[in-house]
Structures are given as structure tokens and as C-alpha cells.
Amino acid sequence: MDTQGPLSEQGLVRMLTHTGERIEDERFAPYAADLDAATLRAMWHDMTVLRGFDLEATSLQRQGELGLWVPSLGQEAAQIGSGYALRTSDFVFPSYREHGVALTRGVDLPEILRIFRGLQHGAWDPAAHGFHLYTLVIGSHALHATGYAMAMDRDGLVGTGAETDGAVVCYFGDGATSQGDVNEALVFAAVNDAPIVFFVQNNQFAISEPTTRQSRVPLAQRGAGFGVPSVRFDGNDVLASYAVTRWALEQARSGTGPVLLEAFTYRMGAHTTSDDATRYRTRADEEYWAERDPIARVEAYLRGIGELSDEAIEEAHAEAKALGRRTREAVKSWSPPPTSTIFDHVYAEPHTAVESERAWFARFERSFTDKGAHA
Amino acid sequence: MTAMTMAGAINRGMRAAMERDPKVLLMGEDIGQLGGVFRVTDGLWKDFGPDRVMDTPLAESGIVGTAIGMAMRGYRPVIEIQFDGFIFPAFDQITTQLAKMHYRSRGLINLPVVIRVPFAGHIGAVEHHSESPEALFAHTPGLRIVSPATPQDAYDMIQQAIASPDPYLFFEPKARYWDKAEVDEARVATQLSGEHGASAATAELSRGRVAREGKDVTLVAYGPTVRLAMQVADVAASEGRSIEVVDLRSISPLDSATVVRSAKRTGRVVIVHEAPTAFGTGAELAARVMEQAFFHLHAPVLRVGGFSTPYPGSKFEHDYLPNLDRVLDAVDRVMTH
């Protein structure tokens, strides 16, 4: 077992053991103090529904309804816990696996699948949800997030103590920490005291490469070199995820500058539906982490304190099932708009190359029905 | 009218844009107290302060990437890339992110970012300081690419690019920074204060201009080669040949209509740019002239540009770059075909 490296448990903040016992963490307990059983149950509920949706999306891909799916399986606690710590005044820059954060930002989950059905590249209004579009090039969005945070600071939305104070949370993975853009983002955020939380979900794999191919030390240690305070926590512990993120957001919103968080978690599924994880990891490893399932842990805790009934569990599973059905029906009902729409929104103002090709394509299409129109 | 150098015209244009719109801010390396390595931002740091004239960390991808985030919140960043050859660390942010955000957001996000790039050669510089990378960007849908050739255009075009809602690469012919001419400051101010000022500005920025009328050969140039084309026209005139010079001004969109109109009159086209001719702006333009004016041509369209070698040591740049003799040679060839 690694005791020092990027896959070790070194310095992890944990508030729930994997069997569901509460651990008191002196530093972060105050940030979970307001969390009543009802809210924690709501988190568990969202994690459960998210997983149902995620499994349905995988099935839809297998049945040929989606070109690709990127499962969030196993990362529900990292995503839902941190998502619950956000306010409407905050703004999120996700990578492409943050379906759980999308849920907490009010994105209707089936809508995400428009991207994976190949209908469009962005499927929601970022401003309406405080949730930017997914970014597929690894780490590129860390700079956009930093610039956005610098602009929030300029706009007087930081450090006033009012509810309107906000911060940016930028999600990326362990692989992204090797990207130049992520390192440049840390530099720009640090020297500008930008109100941003860099949220690394270390799910231990960048497709097939373990985190040991990205770093020789735990990723949270990277922060020190940039002068950015960092915390490493158990990413499968929804309580820790909520409390640590809430702390980080309060730091960032107060104007003291960026924070780096590392949620140490495990990608229970493959990288995508095109990946085969059996080629690079063992059954034993998967079983070890199955015992640390983020949903089972909070479920055990809630049951242990008498706050989760069998009926509530049944209801949540029924809801997940209903969402699965609604998702399936929605996906199958979507047909592509006319091809001519591919010429829309290349530029905000007309551009002759696009307009002449749009006109040519319209004539070409008409030529199949209206002889002689094709010039 | 005020006499200005091209560098001074860009400086004054940015000042006017910053006075007009408090969301306009400048970002780049050494553009603050120093005023930029070419002094194009001279005095702006002193008058607008470090929050609007930002000395950034030395990381081009970081500059463009954070500008994208700021533009998402309504700012209009104007970036200076110190030299043409230093733009490539930002290539991903420009071509993959900046160019595509409006499209991938289905029109919800505008990114009015202007990237100023001192480009092209003839200054006797070391490696990576004299390049002409415009075609690498012109190949990417979503970007607009322009290059002024005169102080008047520099003054107008920088303000129009800043006012436009689309992202721009603004290629400044650095060897022409010290060319001086009278500049009318009123016209663009009036245009931009109009109700649809930004649309009018974008439309005007998309058009080339006939810089000199002629009837035997159409000589097409932009940025640093426009002055050369005018010199060629003078020399050719003394030999009894009448040259029409088209200054493209915009590379994306490419105003092929103006060139085709001219080609139909002259029947002969020579395109001159400093960038290597292979896969360049001239190649695209030649294809369009062939498609749209084929039966009017008396000779094949010729290109004069950089060779298919890396930019050589500066002692060779006068032969590597199009010069008077090489362009006159091409004119001879289209005339005698």
C-alpha cells in the first residue's frame, strides 16, 4: 500500500468512515454543523438518483442511442457534496464528468445526453444555471474559470460580506494537473488573488494511466508551490466533500484568493463506454473500492442514526427508475434539426465564407426536389 | 487630421476604445510601465492604471485563456502577443476555445477578444521574431483575421475590432510601425457611436480596398506587402504597365469579391505575402479567382511569398521575403504568358 505517493491516504480529511461511522474533524466540523438529517438525506437521494441516471445512460449507449457516455459512477459524493456547498452567486466550470454537479445546479439530467447523442456541443444555458458548458480538452477551462473569477472580483462580487459575494469552482481530474493550462491557471489565480476553488477529483485514472504517472506526491501538495492553500479529503465521503468545499468557498468569496482541493475518489466505471478498464486494473482493486462506495457509506450512516426508512429508500429507487424511463423516452424522441442549422452561430456577425456556403448548401438541397435550382 | 505613425495610431485607437467603453482592458507581457517592447501601449498604463493595462504572467496560453473567462463576464480584452513566434503556446486556446465558444454555446456566449500580433519580417531580428502565421489561424472557423497597412487603417481597424462581438487576430506589420501619415479620427468615432455601430464596423472590417487603380495586372497584398505592391506599381508604370493594387485588409473573411471584380477587368493576378506560399492566403485566393473568374484570365494566377523553409537568419530575409525584383518578375510572367 502506498503511504506517501499520490494514491496514498496521506492527509485525507474524513468525516464518515466507509462503514458509516461519524468521525469528528475539528477543523471542518463547523462547516457541516448546519447540515441537518433532512439535507443529508437529500444529498443521499440525489446521489442515488444520479447513479440511476448514469446507469441508464450507459445502457442507452450500449443500445446504440448514444455515441458515447462518460459515467460518473463512484464520484457521486465528491460531486453532490461539493455541489450542495455552492450558492446561486457562485459559478461552476465543469470538465465533462460532473453530471452530479449539473444536477445540483438545476440542469435537467437528460438534457446532458443531447451532447452524447451528437445533436449539439452544449446543451444548457450556462448563465441560467451558473454552470458552464462541458470542456473536453483536458484542463483548458481552468484558465477560463480563472479569468471569470478575476472578472467577478472586478465586478465587486467578492469580499463584501453580502449574499451576492460569489466564487468560481473549477472541476478537473488527476490527469489535468499535468496540463500546462492548469498550472498557468494556478499562477494567474494566485498573483491576482482570484476567487476560485480548483477542485481536483483524483479518481486515480487518466483513462488507463494511474495518478503515479502524473505525480510523485499527493496532488494537493502542488498548491504550496503556487502559494495556494490546499486540502485533501476523502472524496467518497459526502460530508467531508460538503464541509471542505464550503470552507474553500468561504475563503474564496472573502477575497483571500484561490484554494486547491483534492477529492481522493475512485472511478468505479470505465473512463467512457469506449474504454475497457480490465486491461489496466485488477478485480481486487475494484472490490476494495466497491466496499468504499460513496452511496453505501452515507446510507449506512443515515440508517444508523434512524434517519433513513425502507420507504424512503424504495421511493428514491422508484424515482431513479422513473428518471431512467423519462431519459430513455426523451433521448429516443430527439431527432436532429435540419442540417442547415450547422451554419448558425459560427460568428456573432455575418461572415462571407459561412454565408456563401450556407446559401450554396440550400441550393444543393433544393436541387434534389426542384430541378434546375442547383447552380 | 493628425499625423501619426502606425504604432501611434494603434495606441491612439486603443485609448479611444478604452475611453468609449470601460469594459475594454489590455493584457500582455511588458505592456504596462514599459509600454510594450514596441511601445504600442506607451502611456496607457499611466492614464488607465494597472487594472486596465495588465502586465500578465509570462504565459501566452494563460493570457488568452483568462481573457476568454473575462469576456464571458462582459469584458473586452485586447491582448498583445509580444512577437508572432510566441503565439503558439496559445494556439490551443485560440483555435479550440476562443474560436468555438460562440458556436458550442449556440450563440449564448460572445467572446469579443482582440489578439494583437506584431508580425512579419524586415527588422533584422533573431529567430521566431519575424513570422507570418496568419494562414494557420485563417484555417479555423470562428476567428476573424485582419491586418492594417496604413496608419489610417490601423487607427480605424483596431477600434472596429474591439467593438465587434467576434474574436479577432489583429496582425500588425511591425516593420511598418514607424510609417507616418495623416489620420482622420472623426469618421470611425461617428461610425461606432451609431445605433448599429458594431455591425457596421464588422462589415467594413470584412472588406478590402483598391489602393491604386490600374488595368493590366491585379496585385493583391495585405499588411507589410502593401507598400511593396505600391512601389512595384510605380516601377511598372515607368515601364508602361498599369497595376491595380488591392489591399485585402481582411484575411478571414477573405474579400474575394473585390479581387474577382478586379481580376475580371485585368485578367491577370499576382498575390504577394510574406508568409510561405504553400497552403497560404494566396493559395486560397488563387483557388477562388479560378472558380469565379476562370474565363477572364489571360495567365495563371501567381503567388510571391516566403519559401518553404523556416524563416532564415536575418541576413537572408531580403531574399527570402518578396522584394521588388521578385514581384516585378511575377508581373513580367503574367504579362508575357
Side-chain angles (χ1 to χ4, degrees):
Chain A
M1 196 83 193
D2 181 8
T3 57
Q4 296 292 318
L7 298 176
S8 72
E9 297 207 344
Q10 195 190 27
L12 283 188
V13 172
R14 179 176 287 146
M15 300 172 80
L16 278 182
T17 68
H18 76 268
T19 49
E21 281 102 47
R22 185 80 181 250
I23 305 173
E24 276 316 309
D25 182 283
E26 206 179 316
R27 184 177 175 199
F28 292 102
Y31 295 91
D34 68 337
L35 208 55
D36 56 21
T39 312
L40 198 54
R41 201 161 45 235
M43 290 184 185
W44 162 83
H45 170 273
D46 283 359
M47 291 163 72
T48 304
V49 168
L50 169 66
R51 183 166 292 185
F53 165 76
D54 188 47
L55 295 171
E56 185 68 29
T58 295
S59 302
L60 284 165
Q61 192 282 332
R62 292 289 181 243
Q63 291 155 18
E65 298 291 344
L66 303 177
L68 183 80
W69 179 238
V70 186
S72 51
L73 196 69
Q75 296 176 224
E76 293 89 350
Q79 296 185 10
I80 299 287
S82 57
Y84 266 71
L86 292 160
R87 300 202 293 224
T88 48
S89 55
D90 299 319
F91 201 91
V92 174
F93 282 78
S95 181
Y96 49 73
R97 203 187 293 281
E98 281 69 41
H99 320 312
V101 188
L103 174 64
T104 68
R105 299 307 276 174
V107 174
D108 189 32
L109 290 175
E111 291 298 309
I112 297 172
L113 303 184
R114 289 181 187 274
I115 301 168
F116 296 94
R117 196 168 165 84
L119 295 169
Q120 58 204 51
H121 299 318
W124 55 86
D125 178 353
H129 295 283
F131 189 73
H132 187 51
L133 302 176
Y134 282 174
T135 297
L136 304 193
V137 179
I138 300 297
S140 296
H141 63 302
L143 287 166
H144 311 159
T146 300
Y148 194 95
M150 288 160 62
M152 283 176 83
D153 188 21
R154 275 162 192 268
D155 292 340
L157 299 173
V158 177
T160 71
E163 273 294 305
T164 49
D165 279 356
V168 169
V169 181
C170 179
Y171 289 87
F172 49 85
D174 40 290
T177 63
S178 297
Q179 285 283 2
D181 278 359
V182 168
N183 288 274
E184 291 185 19
L186 280 156
V187 169
F188 276 71
V191 301
N192 289 295
D193 295 325
I196 179 167
V197 176
F198 295 102
F199 192 106
V200 185
Q201 289 177 87
N202 176 2
N203 68 12
Q204 309 191 31
F205 294 96
I207 305 189
S208 70
E209 295 187 7
T211 313
T212 48
R213 296 310 302 156
Q214 318 295 339
S215 178
R216 63 194 294 191
V217 296
L219 297 172
Q221 284 188 27
R222 296 259 175 95
F226 296 97
V228 174
S230 310
V231 176
R232 194 162 192 250
F233 65 92
D234 184 337
N236 284 10
D237 171 357
V238 74
L239 258 184
S241 180
Y242 172 81
V244 172
T245 309
R246 200 176 146 207
W247 166 81
L249 278 166
E250 285 184 14
Q251 298 293 305
R253 288 187 203 119
S254 75
T256 58
V259 178
L260 172 67
L261 301 182
E262 179 192 352
F264 184 60
T265 178
Y266 185 77
R267 197 192 72 206
M268 291 174 79
H271 166 66
T272 67
T273 46
S274 298
D275 179 34
D276 174 8
T278 64
R279 292 177 73 96
Y280 52 82
R281 68 186 187 193
T282 64
R283 176 65 63 87
D285 204 28
E286 289 178 357
E287 282 168 1
Y288 175 86
W289 283 97
E291 285 169 18
R292 281 149 188 80
D293 186 309
I295 300 181
R297 178 182 311 202
V298 66
E299 199 168 295
Y301 172 66
L302 283 167
R303 272 178 166 297
I305 59 170
E307 289 290 349
L308 192 63
S309 63
D310 291 342
E311 294 78 55
I313 293 177
E314 254 170 57
E315 261 172 50
H317 286 290
E319 204 178 306
K321 218 168 194 171
L323 174 62
R325 267 199 307 278
R326 182 162 72 84
T327 301
R328 177 168 294 268
E329 283 160 17
V331 165
K332 290 189 162 187
S333 75
W334 294 331
S335 49
T339 301
S340 59
T341 59
I342 68 171
F343 298 103
D344 295 344
H345 307 306
V346 181
Y347 296 88
E349 289 284 337
H351 185 285
T352 50
V354 179
E355 295 317 315
S356 65
E357 287 174 6
R358 185 205 298 274
W360 178 88
F361 186 74
R363 286 197 304 275
F364 177 69
E365 287 210 308
R366 272 201 310 275
S367 71
F368 292 96
T369 52
D370 170 16
K371 276 233 173 286
H374 176 39
Chain B
M1 299 287 266
T2 316
M4 295 181 204
T5 60
M6 181 182 283
I10 297 166
N11 177 286
R12 292 227 201 176
M14 288 192 291
R15 178 182 289 276
M18 293 175 84
E19 283 166 352
R20 191 178 294 125
D21 182 352
K23 294 286 192 183
V24 174
L25 48 90
L26 313 186
M27 301 171 75
E29 297 159 6
D30 307 299
I31 65 165
Q33 209 162 5
L34 181 67
V37 294
F38 290 104
R39 308 294 183 263
V40 177
T41 56
D42 188 36
L44 299 175
W45 182 82
K46 189 171 144 280
D47 293 343
F48 292 96
D51 285 341
R52 291 191 68 194
V53 183
M54 298 168 65
D55 269 334
T56 63
L58 212 159
E60 289 76 11
S61 186
I63 299 168
V64 176
T66 53
I68 289 171
M70 297 186 86
M72 283 179 64
R73 280 198 66 87
Y75 287 90
R76 305 183 94 84
V78 182
I79 292 166
E80 177 173 305
I81 296 291
Q82 200 158 70
F83 280 91
D84 36 57
F86 303 166
I87 200 169
F88 298 104
F91 195 77
D92 171 64
Q93 285 291 342
I94 296 170
T95 57
T96 303
Q97 305 297 330
L98 182 63
K100 295 177 172 68
M101 196 72 85
H102 187 71
Y103 191 71
R104 64 197 305 274
S105 70
R106 292 169 296 141
L108 291 172
I109 299 173
N110 285 348
L111 294 180
V113 176
V114 177
I115 303 175
R116 296 180 36 240
V117 190
F119 89 125
H122 273 310
I123 64 161
V126 293
E127 215 180 354
H128 313 304
H129 290 66
S130 302
E131 298 183 4
S132 297
E134 61 274 18
L136 290 167
F137 296 98
H139 199 65
T140 304
L143 301 173
R144 291 178 185 271
I145 297 157
V146 297
S147 182
T150 66
Q152 180 71 62
D153 264 355
Y155 181 80
D156 293 349
M157 288 166 72
I158 189 65
Q159 294 181 67
Q160 291 169 325
I162 293 169
S164 174
D166 285 318
Y168 276 83
L169 281 140
F170 192 86
F171 282 101
E172 301 170 2
K174 64 171 92 81
R176 304 272 67 82
Y177 270 153
W178 302 280
D179 287 3
K180 209 167 186 174
E182 292 290 322
V183 171
D184 169 12
E185 293 164 275
R187 196 191 63 87
V188 72
T190 307
Q191 178 188 61
L192 292 175
S193 65
E195 197 189 340
H196 301 292
S199 295
T202 309
E204 187 181 302
L205 259 183
S206 304
R207 288 194 292 272
R209 69 182 175 108
V210 176
R212 174 183 175 130
E213 291 187 355
K215 56 183 189 352
D216 296 330
V217 177
T218 301
L219 196 51
V220 185
Y222 56 88
T225 55
V226 172
R227 194 179 71 161
L228 172 64
M230 300 297 265
Q231 289 167 345
V232 169
D234 282 341
V235 175
S238 70
E239 295 169 355
R241 285 171 180 168
S242 168
I243 307 277
E244 177 144 305
V245 176
V246 175
D247 172 4
L248 285 177
R249 301 185 345 124
S250 177
I251 294 151
S252 178
L254 190 58
D255 182 6
S256 42
T258 294
V259 177
V260 166
R261 226 173 5 250
S262 176
K264 284 181 176 174
R265 275 201 313 272
T266 62
R268 300 178 185 87
V269 179
V270 174
I271 306 157
V272 189
H273 53 58
E274 290 198 9
T277 52
F279 304 95
T281 305
E284 174 62 26
L285 196 55
R288 295 198 198 181
V289 169
M290 193 195 70
E291 285 166 5
Q292 295 167 40
F294 186 73
F295 294 107
H296 298 267
L297 295 179
H298 306 311
V301 176
L302 293 185
R303 294 166 290 159
V304 184
F307 296 117
S308 295
T309 68
Y311 201 91
S314 62
K315 289 292 179 218
F316 304 97
E317 69 183 340
H318 296 284
D319 288 328
Y320 169 82
L321 296 171
N323 56 31
L324 201 61
D325 287 336
R326 280 177 60 201
V327 181
L328 282 167
D329 168 69
V331 168
D332 276 346
R333 283 189 280 145
V334 294
M335 288 300 291
T336 56
H337 184 81

